Amino acid sequence: QEFIVTTKDIVKYDKESKRILRLAGPFVMSEISEVLFWALTTLLVSRYTDVDQLSAYIVTDLLIGTSETLIKGFLETLETVCSHAVGYGNNKLAGQYVQIVAALYSIFSVPLFGMWWFV
């Protein structure tokens, strides 16, 4: 028996799709409003300051965003893998994950520290 997957098989708008879209709505609106408020803030800063101050604002915002994303990425990854390891009953593996993330965080923090030192 041959199994051919068509687009209709993959993209089926069923009960689960409706549920996912209904749950995703608030998150999508949150991200849209965050971007709009960032654009409005940048517009206001550019309106009442000169180019040098606007450049400093944008660079600082970019650096803060990069630092925050890196830190959150490590923490969210650790939450996921540690939860699975502890749920499986393997505390040693969870400890190894914590050590790996701590080492990676330390390694990647050095460039961030250098970046913030010169800003």
Side-chain angles (χ1 to χ4, degrees):
Q1 185 178 18
E2 189 174 328
F3 184 72
I4 300 173
V5 178
T6 63
T7 307
K8 185 179 176 185
D9 294 330
I10 296 171
V11 185
K12 188 184 295 183
Y13 190 71
D14 56 357
K15 182 179 173 183
E16 186 67 21
S17 299
K18 290 178 189 178
R19 183 173 171 258
I20 290 172
L21 288 175
R22 190 174 60 248
L23 290 172
F27 293 110
V28 170
M29 292 307 296
S30 172
E31 289 298 316
I32 289 172
S33 64
E34 183 178 337
V35 169
L36 289 176
F37 282 122
W38 182 84
L40 180 65
T41 304
T42 305
L43 176 73
L44 290 173
V45 169
S46 69
R47 178 94 174 154
Y48 296 108
T49 61
D50 61 354
V51 175
D52 291 338
Q53 292 170 337
L54 177 62
S55 299
Y57 170 74
I58 290 177
V59 167
T60 304
D61 189 55
L62 176 68
L63 295 177
I64 290 172
T66 303
S67 301
E68 180 186 19
T69 301
L70 181 69
I71 292 168
K72 281 176 60 176
F74 282 124
L75 294 178
E76 289 174 359
T77 302
L78 186 61
E79 285 177 10
T80 302
V81 295
C82 271
S83 299
H84 286 272
V86 170
Y88 189 68
N90 194 344
N91 292 335
K92 182 178 179 183
L93 183 61
Q96 288 175 337
Y97 287 146
V98 170
Q99 291 173 356
I100 290 169
V101 168
L104 288 174
Y105 177 77
S106 299
I107 291 168
F108 284 103
S109 292
V110 171
L112 288 176
F113 178 73
M115 176 182 67
W116 281 106
W117 184 267
F118 294 108
V119 169

